[in-house]
Amino acid sequence: MGNIYRINFKQLRQENLKEVFASFERALQVLDIDFYLIGAIARDTWFAQKGIRALGTKDVDFAVMVSNPEIFSELKQYLVSKEAFTESSTNAYALFDKKGFQIDLLPFG
């Protein structure tokens, strides 16, 4: 997973998400899963590249390319057991980081 553009979290005004992204990068590399960043963070990344002030967000949306439900379950289990995320009791596609920030995992493929 190579990064074409390097945007730092200060440019996005989302420094608090640095740990979340590091956790996901580890999990996605271990499980060899491709992903897309969607939603407001994707918009803010594009804005930052253009020098436009990032707006911020209340959650992060990751679309993850998985070939079957078992791989999606492995990803969630890894994030819970190795990266200290917690599962939502009401949404099978949401996790929360240590600070309570919501991460939405959107499987496709």
Side-chain angles (χ1 to χ4, degrees):
M1 251 184 279
N3 292 334
I4 296 171
Y5 298 108
R6 294 281 183 190
I7 301 294
N8 74 42
F9 289 94
K10 289 181 182 172
Q11 285 176 285
L12 295 175
R13 300 189 195 286
Q14 296 287 333
E15 185 73 23
N16 60 322
L17 296 177
K18 193 173 190 174
E19 275 186 54
V20 169
F21 279 85
S23 294
F24 269 83
E25 188 171 348
R26 286 189 293 270
L28 296 167
Q29 285 178 346
V30 165
L31 298 170
D32 194 30
I33 296 174
D34 288 327
F35 77 99
Y36 298 90
L37 182 62
I38 60 175
I41 293 289
R43 175 205 62 212
D44 289 353
T45 301
W46 185 81
F47 280 1
Q49 290 172 356
K50 303 293 183 191
I52 302 169
R53 184 177 180 273
L55 304 175
T57 185
K58 295 185 188 299
D59 69 353
V60 176
D61 304 311
F62 284 102
V64 292
M65 187 170 157
V66 294
S67 58
N68 62 58
E70 290 79 27
I71 294 173
F72 183 70
S73 293
E74 284 180 42
L75 173 60
K76 283 178 52 179
Q77 184 57 39
Y78 181 96
L79 291 166
V80 169
S81 66
K82 305 273 192 219
E83 301 291 344
F85 283 79
T86 57
E87 293 186 63
S88 169
S89 61
T90 59
N91 182 343
Y93 302 101
L95 296 174
F96 296 93
D97 75 354
K98 299 172 206 172
K99 298 174 187 170
F101 195 82
Q102 183 171 331
I103 310 302
D104 295 326
L105 296 175
L106 309 162
F108 72 97

PDB file of all heavy atoms in Angstrom, residues 20-45:
ATOM      1  N   VAL A  20      -5.636   6.205  15.009  1.00  0.00           N
ATOM      2  CA  VAL A  20      -6.638   5.409  14.302  1.00  0.00           C
ATOM      3  C   VAL A  20      -6.086   4.944  12.962  1.00  0.00           C
ATOM      4  O   VAL A  20      -6.168   3.759  12.610  1.00  0.00           O
ATOM      5  CB  VAL A  20      -7.941   6.224  14.095  1.00  0.00           C
ATOM      6  CG1 VAL A  20      -8.882   5.517  13.124  1.00  0.00           C
ATOM      7  CG2 VAL A  20      -8.631   6.481  15.425  1.00  0.00           C
ATOM      8  N   PHE A  21      -5.486   5.857  12.221  1.00  0.00           N
ATOM      9  CA  PHE A  21      -4.933   5.495  10.917  1.00  0.00           C
ATOM     10  C   PHE A  21      -3.774   4.513  11.053  1.00  0.00           C
ATOM     11  O   PHE A  21      -3.648   3.588  10.257  1.00  0.00           O
ATOM     12  CB  PHE A  21      -4.514   6.745  10.141  1.00  0.00           C
ATOM     13  CG  PHE A  21      -5.674   7.408   9.468  1.00  0.00           C
ATOM     14  CD1 PHE A  21      -6.473   8.302  10.154  1.00  0.00           C
ATOM     15  CD2 PHE A  21      -5.972   7.122   8.151  1.00  0.00           C
ATOM     16  CE1 PHE A  21      -7.544   8.915   9.543  1.00  0.00           C
ATOM     17  CE2 PHE A  21      -7.050   7.736   7.521  1.00  0.00           C
ATOM     18  CZ  PHE A  21      -7.844   8.637   8.224  1.00  0.00           C
ATOM     19  N   ALA A  22      -2.937   4.683  12.050  1.00  0.00           N
ATOM     20  CA  ALA A  22      -1.818   3.754  12.260  1.00  0.00           C
ATOM     21  C   ALA A  22      -2.343   2.354  12.578  1.00  0.00           C
ATOM     22  O   ALA A  22      -1.834   1.353  12.054  1.00  0.00           O
ATOM     23  CB  ALA A  22      -0.910   4.257  13.376  1.00  0.00           C
ATOM     24  N   SER A  23      -3.359   2.266  13.420  1.00  0.00           N
ATOM     25  CA  SER A  23      -3.963   0.970  13.757  1.00  0.00           C
ATOM     26  C   SER A  23      -4.531   0.290  12.528  1.00  0.00           C
ATOM     27  O   SER A  23      -4.328  -0.904  12.306  1.00  0.00           O
ATOM     28  CB  SER A  23      -5.079   1.152  14.789  1.00  0.00           C
ATOM     29  OG  SER A  23      -4.568   1.605  16.006  1.00  0.00           O
ATOM     30  N   PHE A  24      -5.271   1.046  11.727  1.00  0.00           N
ATOM     31  CA  PHE A  24      -5.858   0.467  10.525  1.00  0.00           C
ATOM     32  C   PHE A  24      -4.803   0.055   9.521  1.00  0.00           C
ATOM     33  O   PHE A  24      -4.916  -0.992   8.897  1.00  0.00           O
ATOM     34  CB  PHE A  24      -6.865   1.431   9.889  1.00  0.00           C
ATOM     35  CG  PHE A  24      -8.245   1.195  10.400  1.00  0.00           C
ATOM     36  CD1 PHE A  24      -8.652   1.756  11.592  1.00  0.00           C
ATOM     37  CD2 PHE A  24      -9.104   0.373   9.714  1.00  0.00           C
ATOM     38  CE1 PHE A  24      -9.914   1.519  12.093  1.00  0.00           C
ATOM     39  CE2 PHE A  24     -10.376   0.123  10.205  1.00  0.00           C
ATOM     40  CZ  PHE A  24     -10.777   0.696  11.402  1.00  0.00           C
ATOM     41  N   GLU A  25      -3.775   0.852   9.375  1.00  0.00           N
ATOM     42  CA  GLU A  25      -2.717   0.483   8.437  1.00  0.00           C
ATOM     43  C   GLU A  25      -2.073  -0.834   8.844  1.00  0.00           C
ATOM     44  O   GLU A  25      -1.854  -1.710   8.003  1.00  0.00           O
ATOM     45  CB  GLU A  25      -1.660   1.580   8.353  1.00  0.00           C
ATOM     46  CG  GLU A  25      -0.668   1.316   7.264  1.00  0.00           C
ATOM     47  CD  GLU A  25       0.265   2.490   7.002  1.00  0.00           C
ATOM     48  OE1 GLU A  25       0.011   3.590   7.507  1.00  0.00           O
ATOM     49  OE2 GLU A  25       1.252   2.278   6.298  1.00  0.00           O
ATOM     50  N   ARG A  26      -1.811  -1.020  10.142  1.00  0.00           N
ATOM     51  CA  ARG A  26      -1.242  -2.296  10.609  1.00  0.00           C
ATOM     52  C   ARG A  26      -2.188  -3.449  10.294  1.00  0.00           C
ATOM     53  O   ARG A  26      -1.780  -4.482   9.757  1.00  0.00           O
ATOM     54  CB  ARG A  26      -0.948  -2.235  12.106  1.00  0.00           C
ATOM     55  CG  ARG A  26       0.259  -1.404  12.453  1.00  0.00           C
ATOM     56  CD  ARG A  26       0.634  -1.541  13.917  1.00  0.00           C
ATOM     57  NE  ARG A  26      -0.362  -0.981  14.823  1.00  0.00           N
ATOM     58  CZ  ARG A  26      -0.369   0.288  15.252  1.00  0.00           C
ATOM     59  NH1 ARG A  26       0.567   1.137  14.853  1.00  0.00           N
ATOM     60  NH2 ARG A  26      -1.294   0.707  16.087  1.00  0.00           N
ATOM     61  N   ALA A  27      -3.459  -3.300  10.637  1.00  0.00           N
ATOM     62  CA  ALA A  27      -4.430  -4.378  10.423  1.00  0.00           C
ATOM     63  C   ALA A  27      -4.573  -4.714   8.945  1.00  0.00           C
ATOM     64  O   ALA A  27      -4.575  -5.895   8.566  1.00  0.00           O
ATOM     65  CB  ALA A  27      -5.787  -3.976  11.005  1.00  0.00           C
ATOM     66  N   LEU A  28      -4.682  -3.708   8.109  1.00  0.00           N
ATOM     67  CA  LEU A  28      -4.874  -3.935   6.682  1.00  0.00           C
ATOM     68  C   LEU A  28      -3.649  -4.565   6.042  1.00  0.00           C
ATOM     69  O   LEU A  28      -3.770  -5.400   5.145  1.00  0.00           O
ATOM     70  CB  LEU A  28      -5.253  -2.630   5.994  1.00  0.00           C
ATOM     71  CG  LEU A  28      -6.602  -2.050   6.441  1.00  0.00           C
ATOM     72  CD1 LEU A  28      -6.749  -0.617   5.949  1.00  0.00           C
ATOM     73  CD2 LEU A  28      -7.763  -2.909   6.004  1.00  0.00           C
ATOM     74  N   GLN A  29      -2.467  -4.221   6.521  1.00  0.00           N
ATOM     75  CA  GLN A  29      -1.253  -4.848   5.996  1.00  0.00           C
ATOM     76  C   GLN A  29      -1.148  -6.301   6.434  1.00  0.00           C
ATOM     77  O   GLN A  29      -0.836  -7.168   5.623  1.00  0.00           O
ATOM     78  CB  GLN A  29      -0.016  -4.067   6.437  1.00  0.00           C
ATOM     79  CG  GLN A  29       0.151  -2.777   5.666  1.00  0.00           C
ATOM     80  CD  GLN A  29       1.357  -1.963   6.112  1.00  0.00           C
ATOM     81  OE1 GLN A  29       1.945  -2.219   7.160  1.00  0.00           O
ATOM     82  NE2 GLN A  29       1.712  -0.974   5.318  1.00  0.00           N
ATOM     83  N   VAL A  30      -1.426  -6.578   7.704  1.00  0.00           N
ATOM     84  CA  VAL A  30      -1.360  -7.954   8.211  1.00  0.00           C
ATOM     85  C   VAL A  30      -2.329  -8.853   7.448  1.00  0.00           C
ATOM     86  O   VAL A  30      -2.003  -9.978   7.085  1.00  0.00           O
ATOM     87  CB  VAL A  30      -1.664  -7.995   9.733  1.00  0.00           C
ATOM     88  CG1 VAL A  30      -1.963  -9.399  10.206  1.00  0.00           C
ATOM     89  CG2 VAL A  30      -0.511  -7.407  10.516  1.00  0.00           C
ATOM     90  N   LEU A  31      -3.534  -8.361   7.191  1.00  0.00           N
ATOM     91  CA  LEU A  31      -4.566  -9.166   6.541  1.00  0.00           C
ATOM     92  C   LEU A  31      -4.585  -9.000   5.018  1.00  0.00           C
ATOM     93  O   LEU A  31      -5.414  -9.596   4.343  1.00  0.00           O
ATOM     94  CB  LEU A  31      -5.932  -8.821   7.131  1.00  0.00           C
ATOM     95  CG  LEU A  31      -6.068  -9.121   8.635  1.00  0.00           C
ATOM     96  CD1 LEU A  31      -7.347  -8.542   9.184  1.00  0.00           C
ATOM     97  CD2 LEU A  31      -5.992 -10.619   8.884  1.00  0.00           C
ATOM     98  N   ASP A  32      -3.674  -8.179   4.469  1.00  0.00           N
ATOM     99  CA  ASP A  32      -3.559  -7.945   3.030  1.00  0.00           C
ATOM    100  C   ASP A  32      -4.896  -7.519   2.420  1.00  0.00           C
ATOM    101  O   ASP A  32      -5.391  -8.112   1.460  1.00  0.00           O
ATOM    102  CB  ASP A  32      -3.013  -9.191   2.328  1.00  0.00           C
ATOM    103  CG  ASP A  32      -2.554  -8.885   0.905  1.00  0.00           C
ATOM    104  OD1 ASP A  32      -2.129  -7.735   0.645  1.00  0.00           O
ATOM    105  OD2 ASP A  32      -2.649  -9.787   0.054  1.00  0.00           O
ATOM    106  N   ILE A  33      -5.482  -6.475   3.009  1.00  0.00           N
ATOM    107  CA  ILE A  33      -6.772  -5.957   2.564  1.00  0.00           C
ATOM    108  C   ILE A  33      -6.562  -4.587   1.940  1.00  0.00           C
ATOM    109  O   ILE A  33      -5.900  -3.727   2.510  1.00  0.00           O
ATOM    110  CB  ILE A  33      -7.759  -5.846   3.755  1.00  0.00           C
ATOM    111  CG1 ILE A  33      -8.058  -7.230   4.331  1.00  0.00           C
ATOM    112  CG2 ILE A  33      -9.043  -5.148   3.327  1.00  0.00           C
ATOM    113  CD1 ILE A  33      -8.896  -7.193   5.600  1.00  0.00           C
ATOM    114  N   ASP A  34      -7.159  -4.401   0.762  1.00  0.00           N
ATOM    115  CA  ASP A  34      -7.169  -3.084   0.140  1.00  0.00           C
ATOM    116  C   ASP A  34      -8.320  -2.278   0.740  1.00  0.00           C
ATOM    117  O   ASP A  34      -9.331  -2.850   1.166  1.00  0.00           O
ATOM    118  CB  ASP A  34      -7.380  -3.192  -1.371  1.00  0.00           C
ATOM    119  CG  ASP A  34      -6.154  -3.736  -2.088  1.00  0.00           C
ATOM    120  OD1 ASP A  34      -5.027  -3.466  -1.630  1.00  0.00           O
ATOM    121  OD2 ASP A  34      -6.332  -4.442  -3.088  1.00  0.00           O
ATOM    122  N   PHE A  35      -8.161  -0.965   0.746  1.00  0.00           N
ATOM    123  CA  PHE A  35      -9.222  -0.133   1.302  1.00  0.00           C
ATOM    124  C   PHE A  35      -9.292   1.189   0.573  1.00  0.00           C
ATOM    125  O   PHE A  35      -8.397   1.570  -0.164  1.00  0.00           O
ATOM    126  CB  PHE A  35      -8.998   0.115   2.799  1.00  0.00           C
ATOM    127  CG  PHE A  35      -7.937   1.148   3.074  1.00  0.00           C
ATOM    128  CD1 PHE A  35      -8.284   2.450   3.367  1.00  0.00           C
ATOM    129  CD2 PHE A  35      -6.592   0.808   3.041  1.00  0.00           C
ATOM    130  CE1 PHE A  35      -7.294   3.400   3.611  1.00  0.00           C
ATOM    131  CE2 PHE A  35      -5.607   1.743   3.277  1.00  0.00           C
ATOM    132  CZ  PHE A  35      -5.963   3.044   3.561  1.00  0.00           C
ATOM    133  N   TYR A  36     -10.393   1.870   0.816  1.00  0.00           N
ATOM    134  CA  TYR A  36     -10.592   3.224   0.323  1.00  0.00           C
ATOM    135  C   TYR A  36     -11.061   4.071   1.491  1.00  0.00           C
ATOM    136  O   TYR A  36     -11.850   3.618   2.316  1.00  0.00           O
ATOM    137  CB  TYR A  36     -11.667   3.267  -0.777  1.00  0.00           C
ATOM    138  CG  TYR A  36     -11.292   2.470  -1.984  1.00  0.00           C
ATOM    139  CD1 TYR A  36     -11.640   1.132  -2.093  1.00  0.00           C
ATOM    140  CD2 TYR A  36     -10.565   3.054  -3.008  1.00  0.00           C
ATOM    141  CE1 TYR A  36     -11.276   0.391  -3.204  1.00  0.00           C
ATOM    142  CE2 TYR A  36     -10.196   2.319  -4.117  1.00  0.00           C
ATOM    143  CZ  TYR A  36     -10.558   0.995  -4.212  1.00  0.00           C
ATOM    144  OH  TYR A  36     -10.189   0.269  -5.314  1.00  0.00           O
ATOM    145  N   LEU A  37     -10.581   5.261   1.545  1.00  0.00           N
ATOM    146  CA  LEU A  37     -11.028   6.222   2.535  1.00  0.00           C
ATOM    147  C   LEU A  37     -12.147   7.014   1.886  1.00  0.00           C
ATOM    148  O   LEU A  37     -11.975   7.566   0.798  1.00  0.00           O
ATOM    149  CB  LEU A  37      -9.873   7.136   2.918  1.00  0.00           C
ATOM    150  CG  LEU A  37     -10.125   8.178   3.989  1.00  0.00           C
ATOM    151  CD1 LEU A  37     -10.493   7.515   5.311  1.00  0.00           C
ATOM    152  CD2 LEU A  37      -8.876   9.023   4.165  1.00  0.00           C
ATOM    153  N   ILE A  38     -13.299   7.037   2.521  1.00  0.00           N
ATOM    154  CA  ILE A  38     -14.441   7.740   1.948  1.00  0.00           C
ATOM    155  C   ILE A  38     -15.008   8.700   2.978  1.00  0.00           C
ATOM    156  O   ILE A  38     -14.589   8.722   4.125  1.00  0.00           O
ATOM    157  CB  ILE A  38     -15.517   6.752   1.437  1.00  0.00           C
ATOM    158  CG1 ILE A  38     -16.043   5.867   2.574  1.00  0.00           C
ATOM    159  CG2 ILE A  38     -14.961   5.879   0.328  1.00  0.00           C
ATOM    160  CD1 ILE A  38     -17.183   4.951   2.160  1.00  0.00           C
ATOM    161  N   GLY A  39     -15.956   9.472   2.584  1.00  0.00           N
ATOM    162  CA  GLY A  39     -16.608  10.382   3.508  1.00  0.00           C
ATOM    163  C   GLY A  39     -15.826  11.670   3.700  1.00  0.00           C
ATOM    164  O   GLY A  39     -15.040  12.091   2.853  1.00  0.00           O
ATOM    165  N   ALA A  40     -16.024  12.285   4.851  1.00  0.00           N
ATOM    166  CA  ALA A  40     -15.470  13.614   5.123  1.00  0.00           C
ATOM    167  C   ALA A  40     -13.949  13.637   5.164  1.00  0.00           C
ATOM    168  O   ALA A  40     -13.332  14.610   4.731  1.00  0.00           O
ATOM    169  CB  ALA A  40     -16.036  14.146   6.434  1.00  0.00           C
ATOM    170  N   ILE A  41     -13.309  12.586   5.661  1.00  0.00           N
ATOM    171  CA  ILE A  41     -11.844  12.572   5.692  1.00  0.00           C
ATOM    172  C   ILE A  41     -11.292  12.549   4.268  1.00  0.00           C
ATOM    173  O   ILE A  41     -10.307  13.211   3.960  1.00  0.00           O
ATOM    174  CB  ILE A  41     -11.314  11.381   6.509  1.00  0.00           C
ATOM    175  CG1 ILE A  41     -11.663  11.546   7.981  1.00  0.00           C
ATOM    176  CG2 ILE A  41      -9.811  11.229   6.344  1.00  0.00           C
ATOM    177  CD1 ILE A  41     -10.901  12.636   8.690  1.00  0.00           C
ATOM    178  N   ALA A  42     -11.923  11.791   3.382  1.00  0.00           N
ATOM    179  CA  ALA A  42     -11.487  11.790   1.985  1.00  0.00           C
ATOM    180  C   ALA A  42     -11.647  13.188   1.395  1.00  0.00           C
ATOM    181  O   ALA A  42     -10.753  13.687   0.705  1.00  0.00           O
ATOM    182  CB  ALA A  42     -12.290  10.770   1.181  1.00  0.00           C
ATOM    183  N   ARG A  43     -12.755  13.819   1.676  1.00  0.00           N
ATOM    184  CA  ARG A  43     -12.975  15.194   1.199  1.00  0.00           C
ATOM    185  C   ARG A  43     -11.914  16.130   1.754  1.00  0.00           C
ATOM    186  O   ARG A  43     -11.308  16.920   1.031  1.00  0.00           O
ATOM    187  CB  ARG A  43     -14.360  15.674   1.648  1.00  0.00           C
ATOM    188  CG  ARG A  43     -14.648  17.129   1.324  1.00  0.00           C
ATOM    189  CD  ARG A  43     -15.685  17.743   2.253  1.00  0.00           C
ATOM    190  NE  ARG A  43     -15.215  17.724   3.618  1.00  0.00           N
ATOM    191  CZ  ARG A  43     -16.024  17.601   4.671  1.00  0.00           C
ATOM    192  NH1 ARG A  43     -17.331  17.487   4.523  1.00  0.00           N
ATOM    193  NH2 ARG A  43     -15.537  17.604   5.893  1.00  0.00           N
ATOM    194  N   ASP A  44     -11.629  16.031   3.047  1.00  0.00           N
ATOM    195  CA  ASP A  44     -10.649  16.913   3.678  1.00  0.00           C
ATOM    196  C   ASP A  44      -9.237  16.674   3.146  1.00  0.00           C
ATOM    197  O   ASP A  44      -8.444  17.603   3.045  1.00  0.00           O
ATOM    198  CB  ASP A  44     -10.682  16.748   5.197  1.00  0.00           C
ATOM    199  CG  ASP A  44     -11.946  17.342   5.813  1.00  0.00           C
ATOM    200  OD1 ASP A  44     -12.728  17.994   5.083  1.00  0.00           O
ATOM    201  OD2 ASP A  44     -12.147  17.153   7.023  1.00  0.00           O
ATOM    202  N   THR A  45      -8.929  15.418   2.799  1.00  0.00           N
ATOM    203  CA  THR A  45      -7.629  15.113   2.210  1.00  0.00           C
ATOM    204  C   THR A  45      -7.503  15.804   0.855  1.00  0.00           C
ATOM    205  O   THR A  45      -6.484  16.418   0.544  1.00  0.00           O
ATOM    206  CB  THR A  45      -7.444  13.592   2.062  1.00  0.00           C
ATOM    207  OG1 THR A  45      -7.547  12.990   3.352  1.00  0.00           O
ATOM    208  CG2 THR A  45      -6.100  13.243   1.446  1.00  0.00           C
TER     209      THR A  45
END
